[in-house]
Amino acid sequence: MADMTQTRIGTPTPRYDGRLKVTGGARYASDQPVVNPAFGWLLTASIAKGRIRSIDETAARAVPGVLDVFTYKNIGAIDPGKTFSQKGFMGTSIAPMQERILHDGQIVALVAADTLEAAREASRRLVVSYDEDSKPSAGFDSAGLKAGPVTPPSGEPEEDPKVGNFASAFARAPVKVDARYETPTQHHNPIELFTTTCAWSGEKLTVWEGSQNVSGVKHGLAKQLSIAPENIHCISPFIGGAFGSRGSLTQRTAIVALAARKLGRPLKLEVTRAQGFTVATYRAETRHHVQLGATRDGKLVALNHEGEEITSRPDDYKVGGTDATTRIYACPNVASKVTMLHADRNTPGFMRSPPETPYVFALECAMDELAYALKMDPIELRRVNDTMKEPIKGLPYTSRQLMPCFDAAAKAFGWSKRSAQPRSMREGDWLIGYGCASTIYPTQIAPATARVRLTAQGKATVQTGTHEIGNGAYTVAAIITADRLGISIDSIDVRIGDSELPPAPVAGGSNSTASVGNVVAKACEQIRAKLAAAAVKAKDSPLHGAKAQDLTLVAGMLRAPDGRSEPLDKAMAHTAHGALEEYAENLPHAAKPESLGLLYQGVSSIGGGFKLKDRVQAAFGASFVEVRVHARTCEIRTPRIVGAYAFGQAVNPKAAESQLMGGQIWGVSCALHEATEIDRRAARYTNTNLADYLVPVNADIPEYQALILPETDKLVNELGIKGVGELANVGMSAAVANAVFHATGVRVRELPIRLEKLLKG
Ligand code: MOS
């Protein structure tokens, strides 16, 4: 008999896959063994704008072990596909391997060889000559930028949120802030490089690739290659970091697939760290103009948020927009506008809380500036403008604990020790600053499916095509199954990250736990209902005559509220086996003869965040940080980070805390460290490695605290899950900037805040 200690939702639980990860047993995409693979190496463009004049392959093909050189001349037909905003799966619509070059680092060639070394050597011997066009537009302030609105995906036009009359209200407001902010280019830099291995067996293609969307790979790649989706199998059980970078299909996958077919051999490609900067997506730089008008007691009467974002020539990926910043506070007169600027750059995409990170940075810095202008405590300013209704359409928040989060975090942080005056707190040579900011992330949910099977021995199998991107997806699926089926998570076999499993949505927008958790719970409920229905009808069951809907699965027993119960194996014996094998033929893993298996398809609600018709739903938090700035060198340290967060049901508080910690660290990273530098003459990224692309190390984050506030919200979905993965990142960069101002009296409005910006002040 299996261990029947029932794991419950909300119990801090170690990672289901932790042992595999720490022992090296977890196989990532390029760890998967394939027979007799060839190795690929990419060559990418060294110009940003122009055409390939010629490619001399002679020297490359002469390298011993080279199998083939693939370029636009021989790769074959690839449909570049549609991007997410066009309702497709691609991160960019820029076709790989074409004569025309639209950005530096565009894929020009793929060399295949018997060894990795030969492929790399040959790629370096390829001689590509280009005809360059006029000087490329690198980014903001470059000549040749083309401005444009966000083209809506086929369907409803996307409008910038607005209400009332901003201009006249702002003109009349007694207290005002009018400021401009800027965030830099950033790259995800997951530790696992972008890798793809493709192997064909007849018409069937297997793709091993770390992906946040295995179903997207299957369908997107099928479209690109003009083959049936059923012929594509994407396997991605573990992912070494993603943060949005593996959410959309990159153009490399189709190239590897076609090359493998031509070679008649499996092909492995590992994209270098530097190439990853242009072969995948990133967060483009943004600029913001924020105008706040308030009464003398701090009530917002006017709010305007205008954003500008860089994107590629053909695509219009919008990093976020003003959905959250126009709705977080009560304000009768709101205006907003987002403009895309098309440059000679690769197409940006989702990255770490994409809808909010840069926009909330701008708003929350402006709110801090307003607090100083009002001579008001920044927390009190948020309290005065707190609302349970978003101001644009007057829709209610399903739940909102912004101020409880501020109060809890302020207490844990010791905010009351702050002296309000900038540059008034000091310890020796170190200026001390306290800063805070609001945190918000929309609650998303998407259609999902899951198959759950329970054996008479109390073992369960859960199958769902979701993804483990560090979010604890295995553990979440196991905990919910255990909770609902009355067994221990040690008795549960979780299979995810495979396009042949029941499909689940992209692991993005922090939607996975809500989307997948709810369907897993529903599949379990169907099993419980079948067991209960059979037991109450069975004359030889102690539960005979009980009400089926009252029976629950607890600790290996089917139980009635009056105390009667029947062990699982006995209860299972009442069910009709014939009806229970309906999905057996589809079970690639662990089909058990004596078992009850059910597929649940669907979800309680679709969409979410700020896009629903009758309500808005979001998770909230409050971010606090202490900075210390050296009075002479201006070195900036962050000795303490404290945040409090309310995000509905925490399925696994242990994993949630770790997600929150990750988000807080991203926030500090965004505030003080990260920026992709661009050589503006060439529109080329220059710090394309982990030595020069700065991220925090342990010594940068000595102390963090993430408080989780209990929250029940049955309106968002049945399990009340809002999602937590990207929450703590939002607002943290503003909290740091606000703390730096408090420490030094210097307001830095352009991220990252490096010490030279303080020296200037
Ligand atoms: Mo997240 S940037 O939505 O993968």
Side-chain angles (χ1 to χ4, degrees):
M1 204 68 187
D3 175 7
M4 290 300 182
T5 320
Q6 184 173 7
T7 311
R8 303 313 304 240
I9 292 173
T11 306
T13 307
R15 271 177 199 271
Y16 173 95
D17 48 333
R19 181 182 295 267
L20 280 177
K21 281 186 169 160
V22 298
T23 57
R27 284 209 169 135
Y28 295 81
S30 58
D31 300 331
Q32 301 291 339
V34 286
V35 179
N36 190 29
F39 296 87
W41 199 275
L42 292 179
L43 182 75
T44 58
S46 60
I47 65 160
K49 194 179 181 186
R51 299 187 91 78
I52 297 173
R53 188 192 318 136
S54 63
I55 304 178
D56 184 349
E57 301 172 6
T58 322
R61 288 188 181 271
V63 173
V66 166
L67 300 166
D68 210 339
V69 175
F70 299 98
T71 67
Y72 70 93
K73 294 175 190 165
N74 63 343
I75 189 67
I78 300 175
D79 178 344
K82 290 185 159 56
T83 62
F84 261 88
S85 62
Q86 300 164 325
K87 299 218 186 283
F89 302 99
M90 308 307 301
T92 177
S93 73
I94 297 173
M97 293 191 177
Q98 52 172 330
E99 281 181 272
R100 197 154 77 102
I101 301 300
L102 290 165
H103 65 84
D104 180 79
Q106 185 177 318
I107 299 170
V108 165
L110 167 65
V111 180
D114 283 325
T115 64
L116 184 73
E117 292 75 11
R120 181 178 56 198
E121 176 64 16
S123 79
R124 288 173 185 171
R125 291 178 188 230
L126 276 172
V127 184
V128 184
S129 349
Y130 300 93
D131 289 320
E132 282 194 73
D133 284 358
S134 55
K135 200 168 141 25
S137 314
F140 289 130
D141 305 324
S142 294
L145 289 181
K146 191 171 157 282
V150 182
T151 315
S154 47
E156 306 156 36
E158 194 165 299
E159 278 178 23
D160 294 313
K162 56 172 72 67
V163 71
N165 186 334
F166 164 77
S168 70
F170 186 67
R172 281 183 279 114
V175 185
K176 290 178 211 195
V177 166
D178 189 326
R180 290 171 194 273
Y181 304 89
E182 192 165 325
T183 67
T185 317
Q186 298 173 334
H187 277 78
H188 314 76
N189 279 304
I191 292 302
E192 183 193 14
L193 295 168
F194 297 113
T195 79
T196 301
T197 300
C198 286
W200 291 84
S201 168
E203 289 300 295
K204 301 269 182 198
L205 168 65
T206 305
V207 181
W208 290 270
E209 182 174 298
S211 172
Q212 295 170 258
N213 193 1
V214 288
S215 183
V217 170
K218 172 174 159 170
H219 293 283
L221 192 57
K223 184 93 184 19
Q224 285 192 282
L225 302 179
S226 297
I227 62 176
E230 294 69 46
N231 284 336
I232 297 180
H233 182 191
C234 177
I235 300 173
S236 180
F238 294 99
I239 297 151
F243 326 127
S245 65
R246 300 180 209 268
S248 37
L249 190 52
T250 78
Q251 298 286 355
R252 77 183 191 273
T253 311
I255 297 172
V256 177
L258 285 185
R261 188 157 70 187
K262 293 207 169 169
L263 294 167
R265 220 168 131 175
L267 179 61
K268 279 189 136 176
L269 172 71
E270 206 162 278
V271 176
T272 67
R273 175 66 60 192
Q275 290 169 344
F277 276 65
T278 56
V279 163
T281 58
Y282 63 103
R283 182 171 0 245
E285 56 272 38
T286 67
R287 280 181 176 173
H288 306 262
H289 182 202
V290 181
Q291 295 168 295
L292 301 176
T295 61
R296 295 207 188 279
D297 54 4
K299 274 206 184 324
L300 287 170
V301 291
L303 183 155
N304 180 32
H305 191 166
E306 290 171 10
E308 285 183 326
E309 305 179 12
I310 294 294
T311 186
S312 64
R313 281 292 168 202
D315 297 326
D316 61 1
Y317 174 81
K318 182 178 74 155
V319 74
T322 54
D323 278 341
T325 54
T326 53
R327 286 177 173 88
I328 187 166
Y329 301 118
C331 182
N333 302 291
V334 178
S336 67
K337 186 176 167 61
V338 177
T339 305
M340 312 296 306
L341 295 169
H342 295 267
D344 299 303
R345 296 268 300 277
N346 53 319
T347 305
F350 313 111
M351 178 170 163
R352 302 185 203 149
S353 337
E356 327 316 337
T357 300
Y359 282 78
V360 172
F361 162 71
L363 177 71
E364 287 301 293
C365 288
M367 285 294 281
D368 198 67
E369 300 202 41
L370 181 61
Y372 282 101
L374 289 159
K375 299 197 190 329
M376 193 171 183
D377 183 278
I379 302 175
E380 291 316 303
L381 178 61
R382 270 84 175 182
R383 199 183 314 280
V384 165
N385 293 291
D386 191 27
T387 178
M388 291 306 288
K389 271 188 182 177
E390 59 83 35
I392 305 300
K393 291 182 185 152
L395 300 176
Y397 277 99
T398 55
S399 59
R400 166 169 164 134
Q401 292 200 70
L402 178 66
M403 293 323 299
C405 287
F406 264 106
D407 293 338
K411 187 157 178 264
F413 182 81
W415 184 258
S416 58
K417 293 195 215 79
R418 170 180 178 268
S419 92
Q421 192 58 30
R423 226 183 159 92
S424 64
M425 291 170 68
R426 187 171 180 140
E427 211 176 278
D429 279 342
W430 292 89
L431 304 171
I432 300 170
Y434 287 3
C436 65
S438 296
T439 296
I440 180 171
Y441 196 76
T443 299
Q444 314 278 0
I445 192 162
T449 52
R451 185 191 290 126
V452 178
R453 177 168 291 267
L454 176 66
T455 71
Q457 291 71 40
K459 299 254 189 203
T461 307
V462 187
Q463 299 174 327
T464 174
T466 190
H467 314 85
E468 176 58 59
I469 57 170
N471 51 352
Y474 281 101
T475 321
V476 159
I479 289 173
I480 292 172
T481 305
D483 181 277
R484 290 304 197 255
L485 296 182
I487 57 178
S488 154
I489 64 162
D490 300 326
S491 307
I492 301 172
D493 180 26
V494 182
R495 300 293 165 132
I496 66 174
D498 187 314
S499 64
E500 295 196 343
L501 296 172
V506 57
S510 302
N511 88 88
S512 288
T513 299
S515 306
V516 173
N518 277 286
V519 291
V520 167
K522 285 187 173 174
C524 294
E525 163 54 20
Q526 290 185 341
I527 292 175
R528 185 210 64 81
K530 281 211 174 185
L531 283 171
V536 299
K537 274 194 226 131
K539 295 234 162 52
D540 58 339
S541 169
L543 296 163
H544 180 70
K547 274 196 188 139
Q549 69 264 31
D550 292 345
L551 303 190
T552 50
L553 285 162
V554 181
M557 311 286 279
L558 188 60
R559 247 186 223 166
D562 60 14
R564 283 185 288 162
S565 67
E566 186 173 30
L568 186 57
D569 53 342
K570 297 260 168 29
M572 189 77 80
H574 307 306
T575 62
H577 284 128
L580 310 178
E581 293 305 313
E582 47 200 312
Y583 300 107
E585 75 279 9
N586 294 325
L587 274 180
H589 315 287
K592 298 267 172 25
E594 295 238 327
S595 61
L596 185 52
L598 282 160
L599 175 74
Y600 183 82
Q601 232 157 331
V603 70
S604 43
S605 61
I606 294 173
F610 305 112
K611 301 293 183 202
L612 299 173
K613 294 215 161 19
D614 60 339
R615 62 188 195 273
V616 284
Q617 48 192 43
F620 287 90
S623 305
F624 284 71
V625 65
E626 175 184 325
V627 302
R628 293 193 171 216
V629 181
H630 196 274
R632 280 170 293 162
T633 65
C634 294
E635 179 188 349
I636 308 161
R637 310 295 305 171
T638 51
R640 283 192 309 136
I641 312 168
V642 177
Y645 310 93
F647 48 91
Q649 174 71 54
V651 175
N652 182 6
K654 194 181 175 79
E657 192 198 357
S658 137
Q659 292 284 84
L660 292 166
M661 170 177 59
Q664 291 173 326
I665 296 168
W666 285 348
V668 171
S669 189
C670 176
L672 300 178
H673 302 276
E674 288 186 65
T676 306
E677 308 294 345
I678 302 175
D679 177 344
R680 295 180 57 86
R681 296 160 304 179
R684 178 181 302 148
Y685 305 133
T686 57
N687 55 340
T688 54
N689 58 73
L690 285 180
D692 297 323
Y693 185 92
L694 302 182
V695 293
V697 297
N698 281 3
D700 292 313
I701 315 286
E703 198 184 316
Y704 82 94
Q705 197 178 358
L707 305 168
I708 299 175
L709 268 59
E711 186 169 83
T712 304
D713 184 340
K714 296 292 180 195
L715 292 170
V716 287
N717 50 67
E718 280 171 48
L719 293 179
I721 298 164
K722 284 184 171 176
V724 64
E726 292 164 279
L727 175 63
N729 178 31
V730 182
M732 184 53 84
S733 53
V736 174
N738 297 341
V740 168
F741 174 75
H742 181 236
T744 62
V746 180
R747 181 64 71 175
V748 180
R749 299 187 181 86
E750 300 85 33
L751 295 181
I753 305 168
R754 301 238 174 99
L755 57 82
E756 61 270 23
K757 293 179 183 169
L758 298 176
L759 287 167
K760 263 190 263 169

